[in-house]
Each structure stands twice: as structure tokens, then as C-alpha cells.
Amino acid sequence: MVFDRVLLATLMPTWPLLDGEEKPAVVTEVVASVSRAIADAPFHIRLAVRSVSVFLSLCIFLISAGAGGPLASALRADRFYTLLQRSPGPITSVMRLYRSMTLLAFYEQTPVAAKLLSVRTTQNQKA
Amino acid sequence: MKGSFHLSNALQLEADAVIIGSGGGGASVADVLTAAGLSVIMLEEGKHIPSSSASPSAREAFSAAWRSGGLTAAIGRPPITYAEGRCVGGGTEINSAITQRTDSDLIDQWRKLNKIENFTPDELAPYYERAETAVNASLTPGPLGRATDILRQGGEALGWKVSELKRGQRGCKGANRCSYVCPNGAKQSMAVTLLPKAVDCGMRLLAQTRVDKIRIEKRRVTEVLAQSRDAGGQAVPVRVKAGMVFVCAGAIHTPALLRYSGPRKRIGDTLRLHPTIKATALFNEPVDAHQSRLPLAAITEFMPEQRIGGSIFTPAVFGLSLAEDWTNRGDLMRDWRFCGSYYGMIRPRGVGSVRPLPGFNEPLVSFKLAPEDWIALSQVLTRLSRAMFAAGARKVFPSISGHEGWTSPDQVYEFWNKPLPKGATNLMTVHLFSSCPPGEHQDSCAVDSYGRVRSVENLFVADGSLIPEAPGVNPQMTIMALAFRVAEAALCHSAQERARSAARDIN
């Protein structure tokens, strides 16, 4: 759970922008949802996810430690994930799994869904 | 559902027949057996999810109705993610209920290849009719929405055949939640059609009951061993003795259970599926695919080898699909209303396998694409992308990680003459079959022409495992048709006849 939280906090999309009090609640919900999903996964997937997530979250922790702020931390994490995309199969697969579950849970959160639906006018005008 | 119940003590049950699995196969077998007056027990691993409690949230629905919450994949290069239902009604609760028959030429081909008795298109027709009637196969009323129009426009502009798809529906309200258990009961899944009918005829349905083993002695099943849960969630052993046992747990779990229980030869060696590649198309005008039914037309010009169709679309599911290349495509989320999600699927030549892992609930599934499958995937992706541009797409993003997307129709030929990049291509499927092919060709067929497992007189397979090869269409109607046929044959052949056949089987 601790490892999930470290990792998922950096995988959370930056758009739509959430209000100050909304964000912690959304992060908590997303972490809980992803943890439940992993618990439901077949054993061999769980095993791979758990092993890789410990390594990844430690990397993220170390990378973010000297970043100097949340934005800088996020940028460093993004660069790290881009680098990981070229890494061996299991690490990429676990990253994608985390990303998938995070995105699914994130976009289903009530405040996020409400913001997504409200962008209609702006987007239509732009188009 | 009336007739389903939970347990409080260890149970020893007896019936004329036991059915393992409650999807299209199991429910069809139940329909035949209960109509003939047999006492039937059905064991289903998943829960019953009534329409009234179906969640609008994808993650809750996946967790409740999909096996392993949807986190299942066949090992291979690339791995192919697959989805299976695990709830009362099985896959029929989470599919789009599209009702298509297998092409007659393919049926003829399978009959000859596997020497399947009484397996002509004409002989299967009554079973297909029964399946179509059971689910009220019909065109969906009302406007189908822009997501469907895009497929139609794109296909027709290129001069290709486009077909509107019939579905098992009654008064579809367009909730766009086919994959999450229909909240209106409009989708004619097994939980609202054949299962209540069988329960009304006296069938006992035990939900949340997982079968561990089928005990076989002297060429005969003597007992089915399962674990259920009592009201407090404690495991309760269940033993069922029955004259006939029908395994209808799907193309993955049927062979896994059989192999774990004893029979192994030719079982789980020939898994087939429909490898499917997706593409996201970005348009200048809003598609608003979340507001309409999932695309109910398909480009059928290249069937049965290739088919192009559309996927269910909600903002969250769209976000999920972008995870494969979030760094490059995450910004598409801002334009989600202008996007559509479409797919191309092929009938592969590659084969997979299913192997149980002792001590684990989930078997090991692998699938290897053949070289010609890569060519077919390249072709179908090119065709899908052509159709999207013909329908007015501004940009098309193939499901290939790291690909920048195409901005004009002439770019889509990038892979026409070369295979897709194996390491970066993302494939998925919701159609699995052929892991226990039927026929009299004993070297290659796991079960006889009527689904009886070789060398066992009273054990039958009746689900997608029986479809001899990939059908190139949504398989539900074929699964139901073959299951009706297996159940009728089991009733027609006496126990003595079956015992003689089992003794003659080469093992």
C-alpha cells in the first residue's frame, strides 16, 4: 500500500486540475481502488506487480528526494517513466498495469468526471 | 435470482446432471435438460449481479463481474490481454450481445477437418435459431449515434460492405454499459433469459461455488468437488453426484479443470482467440461516443478473416486505453469528446495453450501468433485507419506504443507490407475458443462429435472450447448452438451407448 501510494501519486494525470481539497481525497480513493484491483489479480500477476513496484517506488522516492518541489518531482518521475518504456518486458508491463488502473480509477472519481463533462463548451468552440 | 442460494453447512448433493458454469454454454445446456424434466444443479464461481445493483463504475463492474478484475493475459510476444466473465450469466453479462452465425463455409471446413458427425450448416441451423430466439436477436431500435455512423460512413465511402449488427436485446435504452452488466435488464444475457427459466423448472443454482476437481473412476465421473462460501464468507465444501457432468467454464477454465482432473490428451493444446488491435481516431466534430450505444455497425467486407468494429467508450475507459502510451497520447484526454475507439480483429492461424498451475486458481495461458497473423494484423489496422480517415478523422493513433499517429490517409500504409513491431504492438481479445475441439479425428480432437470427453462416458464439454477454430464473428450464438446440440445428444444417447463409445476411445 505504501509502495502503491508513492508510485501512484506520480502517475496521477495533471489534467483536469483538481481543487486543493479535492486532490488528497481523489489520490486516497485511487490508491485504494488500485490496491483492490491488484489484490483481485491472479497470483503470478500479483507477484510480478509486487516485486517490481517495490523497486519502482524506491527509485521514485530517491529521484524525488532532491527535486525541490512537487512539480520538479513530477517532471523527474515523468522522465524516469519515459526511460522505463525502453526497459525489459516485465517492468514495462507492470508500469502499464499501474498506469491503466490509475487512469481508470482517476477518471471515475466524481470531481474528475464532473470536470471532464464540463469541458464540452470550451472544446467545441476550439474545434 | 430466485433459486440461487447460499450455504451454511457442508453439502452433499445429487442430481441427474451437474453443469459447471452459467454462461451461454451452461445456460443452454440447462435449458435443454430442465425442459426434459431432469434434476439439474448448476455451479457458478462468480456472484449473481442483478440489473438493479449493476454499478455504473467500470472498475467496480470489472471487479464484480470480470475474472480477476480484467487483469488476465495470454503470455506471448506480445502478451494478449483477454476478458472473461465470472458471474452468474458468465460472458453474456459483459459482452455486447452481438448475435452472428458462423460462416457456412467455415462450418463445412471444420466438419471435414475434424470429421465432425452431423455438423453441416443445415444441421446446425435449428440450434442457431433456438439461440437467437432465446436472446431475441434483433436490430437495436432508435438512433445509434455518431460512433456507429463513423464506421458506416467510413466503410461505405471506401465501397466496403458495412452491416448493422443484431444483438440480444429487448428495449435497449442505450445506457452504454454492456460490459458492466446491463442496468436495465435490456441486454438479453443468460441471467435474464435462460437461467431464470431453468430455475423456474427446478434447477438449483449455486453461485460463488468454485469447482476444484472432477473425480473420475473407471471411465466415469463419480463426483464433482467444489468449494462454496457460507453467509459469513467461510469456505464450505460441496460434493455433487450426478449422472452427467457438463463442463461449461469457458475456453480457459474448462481445459484447465479437465486437465487438473485427469484427462489431458489434446485438451487445452489448441486455444484460439481473435487477436484485436485498436486505434483511436480524433475528429474535428464531437463524437460524444459516451452518450450513445456502442458502435452497432461493423465493416464486414473482409469477414470472416478480418472484421472492423467499434468499442464501448466512456471517459474512464478511454483513459484506460491511452495508458499504453500515456507519455505521447495523454493529451488526447483533453479532446476525449472528439475521439472514437475502434478495432480490427483477425481470425488467426496461431495457436495457444492452457495449463493448470497446481495450487493456483488461474491457469497459465499462452498464445503464439503465426507469421501470417502479423500480416493480417497489419492489413486490418491499415483498413481500419483508412476507414477512419474516410469518415473524416483528423488523426489516427494505432495501438502501437511510441507511434506518433497518422495525419493523412496515405500514411496509413506504413505497415501494409511489413509486420507490426512485435514489442510495441498492443493486442487484446474478448473472444476465446477451441481449447477442446470436437470430432472423430482422435489424434487432434479432445472430445467426440457431441462434446463427450474421450474415454469418459458421462463427462461433456459445452462452451466456447468446442468451437473448432476461430469463427471470425462474435461467438455467443455458436457457443449456445453447440451447447444445445451437446445437451440434446447427451439425452439421446443412452448410458450404455456412451459407455461403449468411451471404451472404444483411444487414450
Side-chain angles (χ1 to χ4, degrees):
Chain A
M1 189 80 168
V2 177
F3 295 116
D4 287 345
R5 197 173 180 95
V6 172
L7 202 56
L8 299 185
T10 60
L11 291 174
M12 220 70 77
T14 51
W15 184 89
L17 205 58
L18 295 171
D19 300 337
E21 64 270 28
E22 284 171 343
K23 193 163 183 181
V26 165
V27 171
T28 303
E29 274 297 309
V30 169
V31 171
S33 169
V34 172
S35 301
R36 274 197 303 272
I38 292 170
D40 283 347
F43 179 79
H44 57 282
I45 292 181
R46 259 191 345 257
L47 187 68
V49 167
R50 285 293 169 226
S51 332
V52 176
S53 73
V54 172
F55 164 73
L56 290 176
S57 48
L58 283 174
C59 289
I60 292 292
F61 178 76
L62 292 172
I63 286 167
S64 309
L71 195 62
S73 294
L75 278 172
R76 283 187 177 192
D78 264 352
R79 275 193 224 118
F80 177 60
Y81 294 140
T82 309
L83 193 71
L84 280 182
Q85 281 191 344
R86 291 180 218 121
S87 62
I91 295 180
T92 317
S93 301
V94 169
M95 271 309 301
R96 191 184 298 171
L97 189 70
Y98 266 111
R99 177 88 76 183
S100 306
M101 291 184 297
T102 304
L103 293 174
L104 183 66
F106 178 78
Y107 289 120
E108 285 202 326
Q109 297 303 311
T110 310
V112 180
K115 285 186 164 66
L116 282 175
L117 290 169
S118 71
V119 298
R120 176 178 196 143
T121 322
T122 323
Q123 294 295 323
N124 280 353
Q125 282 168 353
K126 190 180 81 175
Chain B
M1 181 185 299
K2 195 172 73 171
S4 59
F5 57 90
H6 291 281
L7 311 166
S8 54
N9 294 307
L11 266 191
Q12 295 233 349
L13 302 169
E14 281 194 39
D16 294 324
V18 60
I19 301 169
I20 302 165
S22 65
S28 301
V29 171
D31 191 47
V32 172
L33 301 187
T34 52
L38 269 64
S39 64
V40 177
I41 292 172
M42 178 177 274
L43 308 175
E44 163 57 50
E45 185 182 355
K47 296 176 186 168
H48 177 221
I49 306 165
S51 301
S52 55
S53 63
S55 171
S57 150
R59 70 208 140 91
E60 284 173 18
F62 292 168
S63 168
W66 292 40
R67 182 171 292 285
S68 301
L71 299 180
T72 39
I75 295 169
R77 191 157 186 263
I80 301 176
T81 54
Y82 65 82
E84 286 184 300
R86 188 186 60 183
C87 57
V88 171
T92 69
E93 303 303 317
I94 64 160
N95 68 10
S96 310
I98 290 166
T99 55
Q100 290 176 303
R101 295 187 186 195
T102 297
D103 183 77
S104 294
D105 290 344
L106 263 185
I107 291 173
D108 280 329
Q109 202 177 305
W110 294 342
R111 186 186 65 253
K112 289 171 192 162
L113 185 73
N114 286 4
K115 296 184 188 166
I116 313 174
E117 292 175 359
N118 303 319
F119 199 84
T120 63
D122 285 347
E123 282 165 314
L124 292 185
Y127 298 113
Y128 271 116
E129 277 160 27
R130 185 171 179 170
E132 288 157 358
T133 304
V135 301
N136 189 40
S138 49
L139 292 174
T140 306
L144 298 180
R146 176 76 185 128
T148 299
D149 292 343
I150 285 170
L151 268 178
R152 194 181 283 135
Q153 270 180 301
E156 286 174 358
L158 294 165
W160 294 340
K161 186 181 172 192
V162 180
S163 309
E164 194 172 331
L165 301 170
K166 284 187 178 178
R167 305 161 70 212
Q169 62 81 34
R170 202 178 287 277
C172 170
K173 295 183 173 69
N176 194 25
R177 278 161 54 183
C178 297
S179 304
Y180 311 169
V181 178
C182 179
N184 306 311
K187 184 168 79 170
Q188 297 297 285
S189 65
M190 294 303 102
V192 299
T193 54
L194 297 185
L195 291 176
K197 190 177 160 199
V199 167
D200 283 345
C201 290
M203 181 179 82
R204 286 173 287 173
L205 168 57
L206 275 69
Q208 292 184 267
T209 304
R210 180 186 166 93
V211 174
D212 295 324
K213 192 168 186 178
I214 299 165
R215 184 165 287 159
I216 301 167
E217 289 171 9
K218 295 180 184 169
R219 298 180 184 274
R220 188 176 166 75
V221 175
T222 54
E223 208 171 25
V224 173
L225 309 176
Q227 291 272 347
S228 195
R229 301 264 158 201
D230 65 15
Q234 292 294 310
V236 177
V238 178
R239 289 166 176 261
V240 188
K241 288 184 189 295
M244 291 187 285
V245 176
F246 294 84
V247 190
C248 312
I252 302 296
H253 282 264
T254 286
L257 177 60
L258 289 175
R259 288 185 73 96
Y260 188 68
S261 302
R264 288 191 180 86
K265 287 188 179 168
R266 304 166 292 271
I267 289 172
D269 295 341
T270 52
L271 176 73
R272 308 271 185 160
L273 44 81
H274 285 147
T276 301
I277 185 161
K278 286 195 170 188
T280 296
L282 174 65
F283 292 84
N284 286 323
E285 301 298 321
V287 178
D288 279 335
H290 67 297
Q291 289 178 341
S292 60
R293 296 162 171 93
L294 80 167
L296 287 174
I299 296 175
T300 50
E301 175 77 14
F302 311 102
M303 275 177 60
E305 297 304 322
Q306 297 174 11
R307 195 182 79 181
I308 294 165
S311 306
I312 190 162
F313 191 106
T314 68
V317 170
F318 181 53
L320 173 73
S321 75
L322 298 177
E324 65 196 25
D325 194 7
W326 183 253
T327 313
N328 295 314
R329 297 183 188 175
D331 281 349
L332 271 179
M333 201 60 211
R334 293 170 191 259
D335 291 323
W336 69 273
R337 284 184 183 270
F338 298 78
C339 290
S341 186
Y342 295 88
Y343 68 81
M345 81 179 192
I346 63 160
R347 214 173 75 78
R349 301 298 180 268
V351 179
S353 69
V354 180
R355 293 289 180 270
L357 294 170
F360 297 104
N361 280 350
E362 296 304 313
L364 195 64
V365 180
S366 62
F367 193 86
K368 189 176 182 197
L369 291 160
E372 52 266 52
D373 297 335
W374 284 104
I375 295 168
L377 282 165
S378 299
Q379 286 180 348
V380 80
L381 178 64
T382 307
R383 287 168 170 155
L384 162 60
S385 304
R386 285 184 67 195
M388 292 298 105
F389 279 113
R394 173 151 54 106
K395 200 161 181 183
V396 176
F397 297 88
S399 192
I400 299 170
S401 300
H403 195 283
E404 288 179 357
W406 294 308
T407 51
S408 69
D410 49 322
Q411 292 176 337
V412 306
Y413 292 94
E414 180 180 351
F415 296 109
W416 184 254
N417 284 320
K418 63 176 181 185
L420 300 169
K422 284 186 182 174
T425 301
N426 304 294
L427 300 177
M428 50 80 66
T429 190
V430 288
H431 300 160
L432 301 138
F433 16 71
S434 314
S435 48
C436 301
E440 300 311 308
H441 210 305
Q442 298 209 17
D443 292 337
S444 57
C445 299
V447 300
D448 75 6
S449 295
Y450 306 97
R452 184 182 54 76
V453 176
R454 295 222 175 280
S455 302
V456 188
E457 69 167 79
N458 60 343
L459 179 60
F460 304 87
V461 170
D463 60 19
S465 319
L466 271 189
I467 302 178
E469 282 184 341
V473 294
N474 299 58
Q476 187 185 329
M477 289 299 98
T478 306
I479 291 170
M480 292 179 69
L482 297 186
F484 284 133
R485 180 175 174 275
V486 166
E488 281 192 0
L491 289 177
C492 286
H493 298 151
S494 69
Q496 289 80 2
E497 277 178 278
R498 286 190 264 114
R500 278 198 296 274
S501 301
R504 280 197 302 270
D505 286 335
I506 300 166
N507 207 352

